[in-house]
Amino acid sequence: MDAGRQPTLDEIEEGFAALVDGRLSRDEADRWAGRWVADDGLDWDDTSSWALNLLHGIDLPADESGVHLHDDEQLRSWLAELRKRRTT
C-alpha cells in the first residue's frame, strides 16, 4: 500500500485481506484507512468508500475488556462482501 497516492480498490481489498490474515494490525488498518477517509480532495467509487469506512475505526473497542466492536468473523464477512461487490 503506497502512502503517496490514492489506493486502488485492489489495494483496499489487500488491506482487508492482510487484516483478516493477521499480516496487518487493526491499529495499522485504521490509521491507513483514516488517512484516506480524511482527505476531502479525493473521489471514491461506492465500493471503495464503503470498504475504507469499514476499515477506518476497525480498532474500536466494544468495552474496557479489550474486545473489539467488530470481531474477526465480521471482518471475514466484510471481506467476502467486498469481493462479492467487485464481481457485480
Side-chain angles (χ1 to χ4, degrees), residues 26 57-71:
R26 286 173 179 257
I58 202 65
D59 62 344
L60 292 173
D63 55 35
E64 295 80 30
S65 72
V67 174
H68 289 99
L69 184 58
H70 305 289
D71 64 17

Side-chain angles (χ1 to χ4, degrees), residues 16-66:
F16 245 113
L19 178 61
V20 167
D21 294 343
R23 295 178 282 125
L24 189 67
S25 73
R26 286 173 179 257
D27 181 60
E28 291 168 323
D30 171 70
R31 284 185 285 121
W32 179 80
R35 179 252 190 267
W36 299 110
V37 169
D39 191 334
D40 293 334
L42 301 175
D43 187 34
W44 299 100
D45 62 84
D46 290 341
T47 302
S48 295
S49 178
W50 172 81
L52 280 172
N53 279 290
L54 291 175
L55 285 173
H56 181 50
I58 202 65
D59 62 344
L60 292 173
D63 55 35
E64 295 80 30
S65 72

